Amino acid sequence: KKVGEGNMAITRSDAPSAISLDLNFLKPFKASNVTDFTFTPQDGGTQVVWAMHGPLGLVQRIMHIFFSMEKMVGPDFEKGLASMKALAEK
């Protein structure tokens, strides 16, 4: 399902503990965010934390009032983390 248009670039790689991306949306609205992945060794595996942060423009501020961003993007984050886990366990 197409959800928009944009681009991303890896801006930092502190292997094996962290990776950062610049994520730029062009459609349905313009936004620039930094996405961070941090990796922490845990017994029998690795804890992965995926976070996205950036400035809130007018559209994003209005969306935060009426919509739960956790409910909107949370499932995508969970799906992405599950895909990473499946690939890592191959």
Side-chain angles (χ1 to χ4, degrees):
K1 193 176 195 182
K2 188 173 179 175
V3 294
E5 184 179 322
N7 59 69
M8 72 172 80
I10 297 172
T11 56
R12 188 187 84 199
S13 176
D14 296 328
S17 60
I19 295 173
S20 292
L21 309 168
D22 278 350
L23 181 58
N24 299 297
F25 296 100
L26 303 173
K27 292 181 182 178
F29 50 84
K30 290 185 178 184
S32 293
N33 296 283
V34 173
T35 302
D36 295 312
F37 293 88
T38 56
F39 309 97
T40 306
Q42 303 253 314
D43 292 335
T46 302
Q47 177 188 32
V48 179
V49 176
W50 180 356
M52 185 167 60
H53 47 93
L56 294 177
L58 179 61
V59 171
Q60 293 88 350
R61 289 179 189 178
I62 292 169
M63 287 180 67
H64 277 279
I65 293 170
F66 296 104
F67 300 101
S68 166
M69 297 311 288
E70 177 67 28
K71 287 181 183 177
M72 288 177 64
V73 299
D76 292 327
F77 277 50
E78 293 297 327
K79 184 178 175 183
L81 290 170
S83 293
M84 286 176 62
K85 182 177 189 276
L87 288 169
E89 291 177 343
K90 280 188 176 182

